[in-house]
Amino acid sequence: MTAFAPVAEPLDPAARPLNGPVIAVVTPETGAERAPPAAPTARAEAISRVQRCFAQLGYYKGPIDGKANDDTWTAHWYFKNDHGLKAYGDFLADAVQKKLRELCKEEVAAAPEPESAAEPEPATEPEPVTEPEAAQAAESEPAPAAAPEPLQATEPQTQAAEPEPLAEPMAEPDVQTNEEQVTVALAPAAEPQPAAEEEPVEPPPLARIDTDCLPEDLIGHLRAAHGDSVRARACTPGCLPSPAGLSQAQLDDLQARFGVAWCRDCVQIEGHLSLPDIWRIEGAGDFELCAMPPRHLPRPGIGNGNVAKSFTRIRELYREQTPAAEDQALIAVIIGNGTYDKLPPAETAANDAGAMYFFLTEHLGHRQDNIIDVRNARKADLERLFGPVPGSDGELARLVRAQPNAKVIVYYSGHGGTNSDHSETYLLPADAEPYREELSGYPLSTLYANLAALKAKSVLVLLESEYGRDHGAYVLPPNLPETTNSAVPQAPYTNVTVLSATDRGQRKLIDTSYDVGLFTRYLIEGLAGAADLYPVGNGDGMVDSAESFVYAAAMVRLAARKTFGLLQQPVYSSGATPVLSGAVAAKPN
């Protein structure tokens, strides 16, 4: 369990292991780089500009108060690490300020403008400053009849006070300056017009679950949760390109056994494009693209050397939405098993777990000291957390007992497995033995039984995993289910909801835009508000488990098929429909 203790100096997040105690560390560069505050007001303005820029970039959510608070220093730590400025401990250092000016041009450049903007007003034309006196003069001295003509040509809707300078002897110069004043004065009057045009009465639908249709089985999930009020229509089933090297007899057999529809008329491409790029090309050309996978497809994203911390970039999916208020009753367990002693690595597990940690703490209202965060958990760690056998207690149970009405989230990213007779599925700890799941794996049936026994208001289990016997670097197109036992409970639990990324041994795919699991990407996007939009959601400002699953499942299926030419089908089990996030700002992309 992690917790933050108050420290005298700003807390460096790198000093806190995600699964260990808090260590207060003063960065070595503090003090030397900090600019001395020449004047308190100037420093406060500079800090406010930095806070506004950090907020614009998604690093800061605190008040814009010009005070170097802990949130500001924490935002600076993440910012400097993301932008190659690790050597600079002060956000007012010249190099940091230069980078902020590059990234937040409007925000940083806007600060000096009020001072300079106040000076030109008296400098441009001192005469028209005394408008009340000019108005009195206009009433007592009638203006010449010929003078108003150029004013009417510029704009007939001028006030009576503005022509008064024309009554003075210097007619020619005054007319010119008055025309300039009239055009300047009238310029703001034209601005409200585009503002009025900018107010759409009805918000557009979510950016492409394409159109207003969903797969028929997903509509069934929504109707089971929301009744006949669900208005989405059923899509025609999508097709897959036929894998290379398979005969027509083999293709017909797969179609008969698994219901796969093979594409007969599409523009074939090799490799893969992102889903938005595919939609853009298809929309422009009025045809369908299909990615042609080879007979053995290297898992997308493997070996690409991209070690960028995607959880800083995945903030794009939710930083514009209004975050939920902090809730003491929210408890979470996050497990990221990326490195294994005797199995291939789980490529995105570290990024997945990091992205989920920041999403829960930054957006869904989770307190950091209510999150048990573990990396590369061994079997003893899983037994300590959830209990070694059905009916036993673990650390999570003790935490829930201390918090009445707890709402629990358990997130796992890493390998899963199935035993040889397909009777049990497992989470595979970092010390798992290949093909020895019965001895070295943690049974999902034990996990579900012990979670159901918790005295919690609700339990949500999110599994970014796969449960086949093979964990190698290749996917066999079209990525059909290889086992018979599903990862979700055979019978739904009343208080436990399970969402799993894959079905019966399918390989999970990677979202190459964010370097996280495809399922995790759309899960975060849905919980941030997208799942409340038509055709999935009902627009009530809440995201429940059915909406979250249907959104993630629809988008994962679509992205897997269109981007890679493969199948990936998330699965779901729930005896109820708990609300997972509330008061979301449902905003289309």
Side-chain angles (χ1 to χ4, degrees), residues 95-446:
V96 179
Q97 292 292 300
K98 180 180 178 181
K99 190 64 178 179
L100 290 173
R101 283 193 293 272
E102 292 175 3
L103 298 176
C104 302
K105 293 180 181 178
E106 301 112 0
E107 198 62 57
V108 177
E113 287 179 6
E115 301 176 2
S116 57
E119 295 173 359
E121 292 181 2
T124 52
E125 188 65 40
E127 293 180 5
V129 172
T130 58
E131 291 183 0
E133 297 178 3
Q136 294 177 1
E139 296 176 359
S140 58
E141 297 181 17
E149 293 179 2
L151 298 179
Q152 292 175 359
T154 305
E155 177 63 50
Q157 298 177 352
T158 55
Q159 297 179 355
E162 293 176 347
E164 280 68 6
L166 300 179
E168 302 196 2
M170 298 176 63
E172 187 85 297
D174 284 349
V175 168
Q176 294 175 355
T177 56
N178 196 39
E179 287 177 353
E180 295 174 0
Q181 294 170 8
V182 169
T183 55
V184 170
L186 290 176
E191 293 181 1
Q193 295 177 358
E197 297 172 0
E198 216 177 310
E199 298 179 34
V201 178
E202 41 184 313
L206 178 66
R208 303 190 72 137
I209 297 178
D210 196 24
T211 75
D212 57 350
C213 67
L214 292 170
E216 194 167 355
D217 62 310
L218 297 183
I219 294 177
H221 281 293
L222 288 177
R223 286 185 174 148
H226 301 158
D228 294 335
S229 62
V230 175
R231 296 177 293 122
R233 65 181 181 85
C235 297
T236 56
C239 65
L240 286 174
S242 55
L246 295 184
S247 66
Q248 187 60 48
Q250 291 172 312
L251 295 176
D252 292 343
D253 177 63
L254 292 176
Q255 183 170 359
R257 288 194 294 132
F258 297 98
V260 180
W262 305 112
C263 296
R264 305 296 182 188
D265 185 16
C266 65
V267 178
Q268 301 179 0
I269 58 172
E270 294 184 357
H272 64 271
L273 298 172
S274 69
L275 192 56
D277 286 341
I278 289 175
W279 275 325
R280 195 176 302 114
I281 295 171
E282 289 182 340
D286 193 21
F287 53 78
E288 184 175 5
L289 294 178
C290 55
M292 299 298 296
R295 186 171 179 84
H296 292 87
L297 175 70
R299 184 193 293 268
I302 191 168
N304 62 6
N306 190 343
V307 295
K309 290 182 172 56
S310 61
F311 51 82
T312 62
R313 290 186 288 117
I314 208 168
R315 287 188 175 109
E316 297 170 10
L317 301 178
Y318 61 85
R319 69 180 181 183
E320 293 184 1
Q321 313 295 352
T322 304
E326 191 175 86
D327 188 348
Q328 178 68 37
L330 298 176
I331 296 173
V333 177
I334 297 176
I335 301 171
N337 279 7
T339 303
Y340 284 82
D341 296 345
K342 299 181 180 180
L343 293 173
E347 299 88 3
T348 65
N351 286 349
D352 294 337
M356 186 58 64
Y357 180 90
F358 279 93
F359 176 62
L360 294 184
T361 55
E362 293 178 343
H363 190 76
L364 284 195
H366 286 247
R367 293 167 53 95
Q368 291 175 332
D369 55 356
N370 274 356
I371 295 181
I372 302 172
D373 198 5
V374 183
R375 298 293 183 270
N376 301 323
R378 307 182 84 77
K379 185 176 182 181
D381 296 324
L382 298 178
E383 292 177 344
R384 172 179 54 82
L385 287 172
F386 305 116
V389 295
S392 58
D393 268 358
E395 183 178 338
L396 176 60
R398 291 188 288 274
L399 189 61
V400 169
R401 281 198 293 269
Q403 180 59 57
N405 296 320
K407 291 170 282 186
V408 177
I409 290 180
V410 175
Y411 176 86
Y412 174 84
S413 179
H415 290 320
T418 300
N419 58 10
S420 57
D421 63 0
H422 298 187
S423 61
E424 178 66 90
T425 48
Y426 302 84
L427 303 182
L428 296 186
D431 54 352
E433 296 279 345
Y435 306 109
R436 302 292 297 276
E437 294 85 3
E438 298 91 336
L439 298 176
S440 59
Y442 187 83
L444 279 173
S445 60
T446 300

Side-chain angles (χ1 to χ4, degrees), residues 7-29:
V7 293
E9 289 291 324
L11 181 63
D12 188 341
R16 180 180 63 82
L18 290 177
N19 59 342
V22 173
I23 304 173
V25 173
V26 180
T27 54
E29 63 275 16

Side-chain angles (χ1 to χ4, degrees), residues 467-557:
Y467 308 94
R469 304 280 288 169
D470 174 40
H471 303 287
Y474 289 88
V475 179
L476 183 63
N479 198 25
L480 293 166
E482 300 171 351
T483 62
T484 57
N485 193 41
S486 177
V488 300
Q490 295 181 354
Y493 288 93
T494 304
N495 62 333
V496 177
T497 298
V498 182
L499 282 67
S500 182
T502 60
D503 181 31
R504 293 171 296 151
Q506 283 180 326
R507 307 298 298 275
K508 68 187 186 71
L509 304 176
I510 296 172
D511 187 290
T512 54
S513 299
Y514 295 99
D515 291 317
V516 297
L518 203 59
F519 176 68
T520 294
R521 178 259 167 92
Y522 289 112
L523 191 65
I524 289 176
E525 189 171 72
L527 287 172
D532 191 42
L533 297 172
Y534 180 82
V536 174
N538 52 17
D540 64 353
M542 304 285 182
V543 174
D544 60 39
S545 62
E547 292 170 334
S548 179
F549 167 72
V550 169
Y551 178 79
M555 294 306 296
V556 165
R557 290 188 195 181

